[in-house]
Amino acid sequence: MAFSTNSILKNHIFLTPNPNTHNQKLTPSLFTNRVSIVTPKRLKLGVQATVQEVNIQSTEQNGFLMDVVAENELRENGFLGMRKTKLVCTIGPACCSIEELEKLALGGMNVARLNMCHNSREWHRDVIRNIKFLNDKNGFCVSVMIDTEGSQIHVVDHGAPQSVKIEDGSIWLFTTEKYEGFRPFTAKAYDEGFSEGIQVGDELVIDGGMASFEVIEKNGNDLSCKCTDPGLFLPRAKLSSWRNGKLVERDHDPPTLSTKDRADIKLGIAEGVDFIAMSFVNDADCVQHLKNYLTSKSANSIQVIAKIESLESLQNLEEIIEASDGIMVARGDLGVEIPLEQIPTVQEEITRLCRQMNKPVIVASQLLESMVEYPTPTRAEVADVSEAIRQYADALMLSGESAIGSYSHKALAVLRMASSRMEMSLREEDLQTDLKECQLAVSLPDRIAEEICNHSAEMANKLGVDAIFVFTKHGHMASLLSRNRPYPPIFAITDDKSTRMALNLKWGVTPLLLDLSDDMEANIQKTTDVIKSKGMLKAGDTFLVVSDLEPSRATSTGFQSIQIKTMA
């Protein structure tokens, strides 16, 4: 596949939101909990945050559920001030307690990612249950994603409880010997065949580039290696082997899902996760195989996110996007396999294709890598984050920054602040980019739905409506609206819990749970009544309404129509 480069970026002036908007009072509620929420204040010589007392309000009213953080954001900043880029945080030792998880949720985390390479299955189960507990208790809407280890990557562990700093030139032994505890300059491999095919002179890469070694001696299954690129060595780190810029070939092609992956997926099904990220996807068949398995084993819908991290996956990119429910641009591992200078254009092309094909895309790996150790990001990192937002990526992901870093909440605040300011700049400069002609639908009903969404987004922008309401069963029209990246926020009203959690990854979509009826007008009235009673709609607010719900009677006007309504 050929990748093209866009023209030189225009300069953007980031404006500071009106500080008076932070002084608005919240509507009182009968059910309140006092909590602290961290709000970004400025990004200058350092990352600063102010902690203010707010009320977490019970969002359940007449079967209505809205994420309390989005609700507070709407009250404080108004409709156009709502952040549209979604934020994914990797959960690790630094942020796995229920208190830290609550802080991340309050800080804007939309999806919690669990990397199955690290920690025990019991640890992951407890974290998943804690996130679900916080969702139920505090009215959060945080989805859960598990990220499989993948069979092409081996896991090695140095035995220490925390990360170890690797010095340049230090000699390490990678061994299959079974032992307990920590040995200096020694890492234990869990797979007896981890060194299969590896030769002296090959390169070993830890966690997609956290540190690198050169193999200087091979003795049986054991490898003696010299550090050539110093960095951090995490417990249960991923290890890949490279020769002349390519993964070292094995005598046999391993399955995309290992035995451990299958056990981890069974845990995810049992605990009701919302997304499964599949590592080292090289073709569409393995994605479809996993989706078929999930359909047969899980009563709830679980989305499959394909990770693009190899040259082969780039060669089969379009078919992988088509087969999957979403894409993760795993820049760490991908940057080991292709030249570094190609990463920006590859990222942009993947993001463009995903939007065109109506699949959410997550930009991941090393967004704010310096914040693993330091409280302030580099200016280059902020520029990198802003560029991903400018490309209209659906989501940005923190990895080590949140999992093991000392400043996970500040890192999340940086992403949130950069997202809000870049989105505002794009809107003010009217830098919306039109989709290239790419008709997705085949059947007439689907083509009608697609055209309705395309024109709805255009109308919403031109008319300057405050919000878009879409009533949806499985999220189809909400996703099509998001694909157009309209300026007003999209409120997706559904009565399906799996749909609500899946839409958490879609750009600009705030999913709401509501008991829906077959009467479209009644649904609209019920929704506006509840939202108005909570102080989020006022007289004069204008909103556009579409729906993909099947009508109960032939005379229903809510289906396959675009309605513009103004609050009286």
Side-chain angles (χ1 to χ4, degrees):
M1 165 164 290
F3 296 98
S4 59
T5 306
N6 280 355
S7 59
I8 297 175
L9 292 174
K10 293 178 66 178
N11 293 323
H12 301 296
I13 299 175
F14 290 157
L15 305 178
T16 304
N18 187 344
N20 294 328
T21 59
H22 294 286
N23 297 325
Q24 297 177 5
K25 294 185 180 295
L26 301 182
T27 305
S29 172
L30 294 175
F31 305 94
T32 62
N33 293 319
R34 299 294 294 179
V35 300
S36 295
I37 184 169
V38 179
T39 16
K41 193 172 183 180
R42 64 188 178 98
L43 180 61
K44 200 172 180 183
L45 295 178
V47 178
Q48 296 191 357
T50 57
V51 181
Q52 58 185 127
E53 293 291 321
V54 300
N55 288 327
I56 282 190
Q57 303 185 10
S58 172
T59 57
E60 187 160 13
Q61 181 178 339
N62 298 326
F64 175 88
L65 278 174
M66 178 176 178
D67 176 45
V68 68
V69 178
E71 188 175 324
N72 287 332
E73 185 181 29
L74 174 56
R75 285 199 186 91
E76 289 187 7
N77 302 328
F79 287 107
L80 287 182
M82 296 186 72
R83 171 177 51 83
K84 296 178 174 64
T85 306
K86 301 304 179 77
L87 306 180
V88 183
C89 295
T90 302
I91 308 302
C95 61
C96 62
S97 70
I98 198 162
E99 294 81 12
E100 293 298 312
L101 290 170
E102 183 176 38
K103 290 178 183 177
L104 288 175
L106 287 167
M109 173 176 67
N110 301 108
V111 180
R113 168 184 175 256
L114 299 174
N115 188 345
M116 304 307 289
C117 290
H118 308 295
N119 303 302
S120 67
R121 209 162 280 129
E122 291 71 24
W123 182 92
H124 289 290
R125 180 198 62 207
D126 291 343
V127 172
I128 294 170
R129 291 181 179 180
N130 282 340
I131 293 168
K132 290 181 176 290
F133 169 77
L134 288 171
N135 282 346
D136 294 337
K137 175 192 173 189
N138 291 341
F140 298 139
C141 182
V142 177
S143 302
V144 179
M145 173 190 297
I146 63 170
D147 195 329
T148 62
E149 183 177 290
S151 59
Q152 293 194 30
I153 291 294
H154 298 285
V155 174
V156 290
D157 195 352
H158 50 58
Q162 301 295 332
S163 58
V164 173
K165 195 164 186 176
I166 304 174
E167 301 294 341
D168 188 22
S170 58
I171 307 298
W172 282 69
L173 175 67
F174 291 82
T175 179
T176 56
E177 180 186 347
K178 301 294 186 289
Y179 63 90
E180 297 297 327
F182 172 75
R183 290 183 184 177
F185 303 103
T186 305
K188 176 173 56 178
Y190 288 86
D191 181 4
E192 292 286 344
F194 91 102
S195 62
E196 177 188 333
I198 295 177
Q199 301 172 3
V200 172
D202 288 346
E203 181 182 29
L204 300 187
V205 177
I206 300 292
D207 279 336
M210 291 286 280
S212 300
F213 297 85
E214 179 186 351
V215 178
I216 59 176
E217 184 180 353
K218 183 174 183 179
N219 185 10
N221 288 329
D222 295 351
L223 302 174
S224 182
C225 304
K226 178 181 179 180
C227 177
T228 54
D229 192 5
L232 290 178
F233 194 163
L234 279 62
R236 287 190 59 83
K238 294 191 298 181
L239 177 75
S240 57
S241 52
W242 300 82
R243 183 183 305 142
N244 299 324
K246 296 182 180 180
L247 278 168
V248 172
E249 294 183 2
R250 311 287 175 168
D251 292 337
H252 60 282
D253 291 328
T256 304
L257 293 176
S258 65
T259 302
K260 180 182 181 301
D261 290 337
R262 296 180 186 279
D264 291 339
I265 289 169
K266 287 180 180 179
L267 171 72
I269 294 172
E271 296 300 325
V273 302
D274 307 294
F275 301 96
I276 294 177
M278 195 175 189
S279 295
F280 286 92
V281 173
N282 290 328
D283 56 50
D285 290 343
C286 56
V287 176
Q288 194 57 56
H289 178 75
L290 177 56
K291 291 179 73 172
N292 292 341
Y293 176 79
L294 293 174
T295 301
S296 66
K297 298 295 182 181
S298 176
N300 299 318
S301 174
I302 300 177
Q303 305 283 295
V304 175
I305 307 297
K307 295 172 67 177
I308 304 300
E309 47 194 338
S310 69
L311 184 59
E312 192 171 350
S313 65
L314 289 177
Q315 293 167 344
N316 299 314
L317 183 58
E318 289 195 31
E319 68 176 52
I320 292 173
I321 296 174
E322 179 67 31
S324 67
D325 298 306
I327 293 295
M328 182 188 295
V329 187
R331 304 186 304 180
D333 290 305
L334 188 59
V336 178
E337 188 153 350
I338 68 174
L340 290 175
E341 65 272 16
Q342 291 184 14
I343 291 294
T345 50
V346 167
Q347 172 185 308
E348 186 169 16
E349 182 67 8
I350 295 173
T351 303
R352 183 192 65 80
L353 273 175
C354 285
R355 182 182 170 197
Q356 210 173 58
M357 299 173 71
N358 197 28
K359 301 294 175 74
V361 58
I362 306 166
V363 174
S365 305
Q366 302 170 335
L367 288 174
L368 300 171
E369 188 71 19
S370 68
M371 293 192 75
V372 172
E373 297 187 76
Y374 301 103
T376 306
T378 67
R379 282 34 176 186
E381 287 171 337
V382 176
D384 178 39
V385 167
S386 298
E387 173 60 13
I389 300 163
R390 187 196 66 82
Q391 293 171 5
Y392 288 104
D394 289 86
L396 306 175
M397 191 180 93
L398 295 176
S399 299
E401 303 97 327
S402 57
I404 61 170
S406 301
Y407 307 99
S408 55
H409 306 297
K410 286 190 174 183
L412 181 60
V414 171
L415 289 191
R416 188 172 75 247
M417 181 165 49
S419 298
S420 297
R421 291 187 176 182
M422 177 54 85
E423 289 163 8
M424 179 173 62
S425 179
L426 292 172
R427 186 171 65 248
E428 289 177 348
E429 296 186 31
D430 195 23
L431 294 179
Q432 175 67 283
T433 56
D434 294 328
L435 283 171
K436 292 182 180 179
E437 289 298 324
C438 180
Q439 179 180 300
L440 297 173
V442 176
S443 68
L444 181 59
D446 286 345
R447 289 176 62 186
I448 292 172
E450 186 176 335
E451 288 300 320
I452 286 175
C453 289
N454 292 345
H455 291 288
S456 293
E458 185 179 358
M459 285 179 62
N461 289 344
K462 288 183 176 180
L463 296 176
V465 302
D466 294 291
I468 300 172
F469 287 4
V470 53
F471 293 84
T472 180
K473 183 65 177 178
H474 301 296
H476 180 56
M477 285 187 77
S479 182
L480 288 171
L481 284 165
S482 170
R483 174 180 181 242
N484 283 276
R485 304 299 195 254
Y487 294 147
I490 302 164
F491 292 91
I493 302 98
T494 183
D495 57 6
D496 186 276
K497 292 181 179 179
S498 295
T499 297
R500 182 194 184 207
M501 303 313 283
L503 288 173
N504 232 3
L505 200 55
K506 295 293 293 185
W507 187 96
V509 176
T510 300
L512 314 178
L513 195 65
L514 181 70
D515 294 332
L516 299 175
S517 68
D518 291 334
D519 189 325
M520 189 61 217
E521 293 302 318
N523 287 332
I524 296 173
Q525 189 65 51
K526 183 178 181 180
T527 302
T528 54
D529 286 348
V530 173
I531 296 179
K532 186 177 181 180
S533 71
K534 297 170 76 63
M536 293 181 286
L537 273 178
K538 61 183 185 299
D541 285 343
T542 304
F543 53 94
L544 182 148
V545 183
V546 294
S547 172
D548 61 20
L549 300 178
E550 294 287 347
S552 59
R553 55 187 186 277
T555 57
S556 176
T557 60
F559 183 64
Q560 292 188 343
S561 67
I562 302 173
Q563 301 183 52
I564 306 291
K565 293 184 177 289
T566 301
M567 290 298 297

